[in-house]
């Protein structure tokens, strides 16, 4: 039986989640002659991430389902002024013109809303909510697609699923799993050619950064390998480790891209099991067992059940929920019973 959302997602405290939502009957409502809708979905996610106190760490817009890895930051909304709260809500919820196109709020309407303390208090709670974030994306896409098709009815298959990611290794693993969706579906052969994914965005940003450094006129402008991205930088994947977990250092963009690329090679049938030697240190830093990682990626992963995290993380989550234990849906993925491999001298 699915757990109530309130037991999985707490809007008043930060957390990381893998979110999945499928089209009704798993139909290809964003595929075939409607591939352009995948761009609609990505644009809606981008707009919502700019309005809500929620960072998008990874995304993959497929033809019949959507994957997100997000990190909530509820404290952020407390620092927004009333006018900023109203402006952010207006950007995520534009009015609908008679022809169905989005219509911006007027400055007078935003100012009027900002002057209403009760309304601002309500909107603050919504702008930190994962449920309201997903409602915004899914509802706006459904309305637009139904207008285009001249029909009514459901576009998405009920509620979205949200899987808590309890530690940094779980966050990175879920991000890689999401970014590899097109490769696993045989829609792409490399991360950089995986359309409508966050890994493609990160590859493009990194290449643009390195190209700019070769141009004297542009090199004077300080940039980072993730400058210009609307998705959260890879550093946001670093989360506080629960008590009992060994320290896990932050992962760099190049580490992450290497992890995704080499894991993608494992998934490919003609190179299954051909693990390059240099990949092991990256996986070791994340406290992920190489054999279990390969097994998980071959089997399709089990990121849609329960909670995902190391032994100490799951024990703490079980205590919070008031249950005796949380089943490990990725048995063997974590080496919680062994100390981390010391770094080479």
């Amino acid at each position: 039986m699915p757990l109530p959302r309130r037991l999985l997602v707490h809007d008043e405290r930060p957390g990381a989640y893998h979110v999945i939502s499928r089209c009704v009957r798993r139909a290809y409502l964003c595929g075939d002659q409607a591939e352009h809708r995948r761009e609609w979905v990505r644009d809606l996610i981008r707009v919502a991430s700019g309005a809500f106190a929620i960072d998008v760490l990874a995304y993959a817009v497929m033809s019949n389902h959507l994957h997100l890895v997000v990190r909530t930051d509820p404290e952020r909304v407390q620092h927004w002024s009333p006018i900023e709260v109203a402006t952010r809500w207006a950007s995520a919820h534009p009015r609908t013109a008679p022809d169905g196109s989005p219509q911006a709020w007027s400055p007078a309407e935003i100012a009027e809303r900002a002057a209403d303390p009760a309304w601002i208090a309500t909107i603050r709670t919504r702008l930190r909510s994962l449920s309201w974030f997903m409602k915004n994306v899914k509802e706006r896409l459904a309305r637009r697609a139904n207008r285009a098709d001249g029909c009514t009815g459901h576009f998405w298959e009920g509620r979205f699923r949200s899987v808590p990611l309890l530690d940094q290794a779980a966050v990175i693993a879920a991000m890689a799993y999401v970014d590899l969706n097109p490769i696993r579906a045989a829609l792409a052969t490399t991360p950089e050619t995986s359309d409508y994914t966050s890994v493609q965005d990160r590859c493009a940003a990194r290449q643009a950064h390195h190209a700019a450094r070769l141009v004297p006129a542009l090199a004077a402008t300080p940039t980072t390998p993730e400058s210009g991205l609307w998705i959260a930088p890879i550093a946001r994947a670093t989360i506080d480790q629960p008590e009992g977990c060994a320290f896990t250092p932050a992962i760099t963009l190049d580490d992450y891209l290497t992890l995704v690329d080499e894991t993608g090679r494992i998934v490919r049938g003609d190179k299954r099991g051909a693990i390059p030697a240099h990949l092991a240190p990256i996986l070791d830093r994340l406290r992920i067992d190489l054999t279990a990682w390969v097994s998980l990626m071959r089997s399709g992963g089990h990121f849609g059940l329960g909670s995902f995290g190391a032994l100490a993380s799951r024990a703490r989550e079980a205590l919070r929920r008031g249950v005796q234990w949380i089943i490990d849906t990725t048995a063997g993925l974590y080496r919680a019973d062994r100390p981390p491999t010391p770094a080479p001298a």
Side-chain angles (χ1 to χ4, degrees):
M1 173 182 291
L3 285 173
R5 185 88 61 202
R6 59 183 172 79
L7 296 180
L8 295 174
V9 180
H10 284 256
D11 292 335
E12 68 277 6
R13 69 183 189 187
Y17 305 92
H18 176 206
V19 178
I20 314 102
S21 193
R22 297 186 180 277
C23 295
V24 66
R25 296 183 180 179
R26 303 196 178 190
Y28 287 79
L29 300 182
C30 290
D32 299 328
Q33 302 302 313
E35 278 289 315
H36 58 282
R37 291 178 183 168
R38 295 170 69 190
E39 185 171 356
W40 293 0
V41 177
R42 181 178 60 188
D43 289 345
L44 289 171
I45 297 170
R46 175 180 54 80
V47 171
S49 70
F52 286 74
I54 292 176
D55 293 327
V56 176
L57 297 172
Y59 75 89
V61 183
M62 306 298 287
S63 296
N64 67 347
H65 66 282
L66 165 68
H67 285 277
L68 292 172
V69 176
V70 300
R71 181 175 180 178
T72 61
D73 187 5
E75 288 297 320
R76 193 184 306 173
V77 300
Q78 302 305 322
H79 302 291
W80 294 341
S81 65
I83 195 70
E84 185 174 1
V85 170
T87 300
R88 286 175 174 272
W89 184 259
S91 70
H93 299 81
R95 305 304 187 198
T96 303
D99 63 354
S101 61
Q103 191 173 48
W105 291 28
S106 68
E109 189 176 9
I110 292 177
E112 179 183 359
R113 289 293 192 177
D116 183 348
W119 185 85
I120 290 296
T122 299
I123 298 306
R124 281 190 196 276
T125 62
R126 292 180 180 180
L127 288 177
R128 72 184 188 186
S129 168
L130 178 59
S131 292
W132 276 93
F133 177 92
M134 290 302 297
K135 179 180 185 295
N136 177 260
V137 172
K138 294 174 64 175
E139 183 177 291
R140 292 187 64 190
L141 188 279
R143 290 181 183 276
R144 185 173 181 180
N146 283 352
R147 282 196 302 268
D149 290 343
C151 68
T152 60
H154 293 287
F155 186 95
W156 300 98
E157 188 179 70
R159 304 170 67 215
F160 66 91
R161 288 187 292 163
S162 51
V163 182
L165 305 172
L166 306 180
D167 50 42
Q168 182 178 331
V171 172
I172 296 296
M175 289 172 62
Y177 173 80
V178 167
D179 277 330
L180 284 170
N181 258 246
I183 293 176
R184 297 176 67 87
L187 298 176
T189 56
T190 62
E192 59 269 25
T193 59
S194 298
D195 293 334
Y196 304 104
T197 62
S198 49
V199 71
Q200 186 183 54
D201 293 347
R202 295 190 194 279
C203 287
R206 181 186 181 281
Q207 294 307 96
H209 168 71
H210 284 280
R213 294 173 62 186
L214 301 177
V215 180
L218 297 177
T221 304
T223 62
T224 69
E226 295 178 279
S227 293
L229 283 177
W230 62 268
I231 54 178
I234 202 71
R236 288 290 289 163
T238 302
I239 65 175
D240 295 335
Q241 298 298 293
E243 186 177 353
C245 282
F247 171 73
T248 305
I251 187 171
T252 67
L253 175 60
D254 282 357
D255 286 341
Y256 178 71
L257 294 180
T258 302
L259 172 66
V260 173
D261 183 67
E262 298 299 343
T263 305
R265 296 174 191 272
I266 297 170
V267 172
R268 288 175 55 181
D270 59 336
K271 294 186 178 180
R272 193 177 297 243
I275 310 298
H278 70 272
L279 186 62
I282 298 174
L283 297 176
D284 222 37
R285 279 178 52 189
L286 296 177
R287 295 178 57 80
I288 297 176
D289 182 82
L290 186 58
T291 302
W293 175 271
V294 174
S295 177
L296 177 71
M297 289 300 162
R298 283 177 175 171
S299 65
H302 298 283
F303 291 94
L305 300 171
S307 294
F308 184 23
L311 178 65
S313 302
R314 287 184 285 110
R316 186 178 67 165
E317 180 70 2
L319 182 63
R320 185 187 68 80
R321 294 188 195 173
V323 298
Q324 291 186 342
W325 193 241
I326 294 176
I327 296 175
D328 181 7
T329 59
T330 56
L333 182 60
Y334 289 90
R335 294 185 291 177
D337 57 336
R338 282 184 282 172
T341 302

